[in-house]
Amino acid sequence: MSTPPPEKNEWLEMFRVLRMQLVTSRTILMGGDFNCTVELDGRTGSDSSGMDVTSRLLVEMTGEASLWDVVGSMGPNARNYSWSRPDGSVRSRIDFLFTSPTVKPGRNSMVAVHFSDHRAVSFEGELTGKFPAGPGSWKLNCSLLENEELVANLRVAYVEWRDMRDLFHSAGEWWEWVKDRFRSFFQDASRAAAREKKRDFRQLQSKLQRLFELELRGWDVDDELEETRKGLAEHFREESRKIIFRTRTENLEKDEKCNSFFFKKLHSAHTPLVELRATSRVGKSTS
């Protein structure tokens, strides 16, 4: 067997490390651009259309972990190619999503995205088993206060809450009740705003998919594609700003982008409490 090129050696090393991580009883969800195929006709129009050493290793490791290919093939004459040249001369299925058998499969599709020449794997599944939810916390989304209609509705609601003051034994008891009303009011508003943003995002993504298909058929949709991509880019910029804000990072550089640093910092901020210590009056601590 011939020696693989240097870039293949890097992929082989990554796969060997990844293979060890798959030795677990936990539910696995693994996806991304693996830069290789898992079937003989997973690439067309290229001299390297067969399966190479990385392909065989990926097939072996997913088989050992009993992972299944979410999208898979659509038949001998229709492939879920995730990447292709603009002219369609070369097409490949090199982007995958693998899951454990404990994930109940749902809908899946290949969709175009605004920031890549690869199509994304969209998948909806259900985790089997019980996953108890822990206690959470709530903070007011101050951006809701910029909604004039929402603030006007809050004023109307507060007048009704204020008129119920005499039904309580004390002002403190009434105020505790009012705080619950405030929280419920803004929680409902936040859910409604989130649903609206998700709806707008799905519409933009659906439009991008339609325009992408029209472009492949030879239609001139460059202007509409650019406008749709800008809308999706703004959506992700806003989501990035939220992540950066939740990390409580100070002294940010101007227009700093969200990256893996912020995700790590966000997760590290939620380290569970494992021990309590009470300090005595004489300065000694006790567990």
Side-chain angles (χ1 to χ4, degrees), residues 11-29:
W11 278 95
L12 284 171
E13 181 61 27
M14 184 197 73
F15 281 175
R16 291 190 182 101
V17 174
L18 184 59
R19 195 175 198 170
M20 294 184 290
Q21 305 302 317
L22 298 180
V23 183
T24 177
S25 59
R26 297 181 178 180
T27 299
I28 298 173
L29 183 65

Side-chain angles (χ1 to χ4, degrees), residues 122-172:
S122 175
F123 171 69
E124 294 182 13
E126 179 182 349
L127 290 173
T128 58
K130 296 182 179 180
F131 299 89
S137 59
W138 173 79
K139 292 182 180 179
L140 173 62
N141 180 1
C142 296
S143 64
L144 294 174
L145 299 176
E146 300 174 4
N147 187 327
E148 295 181 1
E149 181 180 358
L150 180 66
V151 173
N153 292 336
L154 177 62
R155 289 194 177 100
V156 173
Y158 180 74
V159 170
E160 297 178 359
W161 302 338
R162 185 187 59 192
D163 293 343
M164 299 183 69
R165 162 68 182 82
D166 294 337
L167 300 178
F168 293 85
H169 296 293
S170 65

Side-chain angles (χ1 to χ4, degrees), residues 3 19 45 54 66 98 113 118 161 200 225 257 264 268 278:
T3 303
R19 195 175 198 170
T54 54
S66 300
F98 301 100
V113 292
H118 289 244
W161 302 338
D200 292 343
L225 272 172
K257 300 294 189 300
K264 292 178 181 178
S268 65

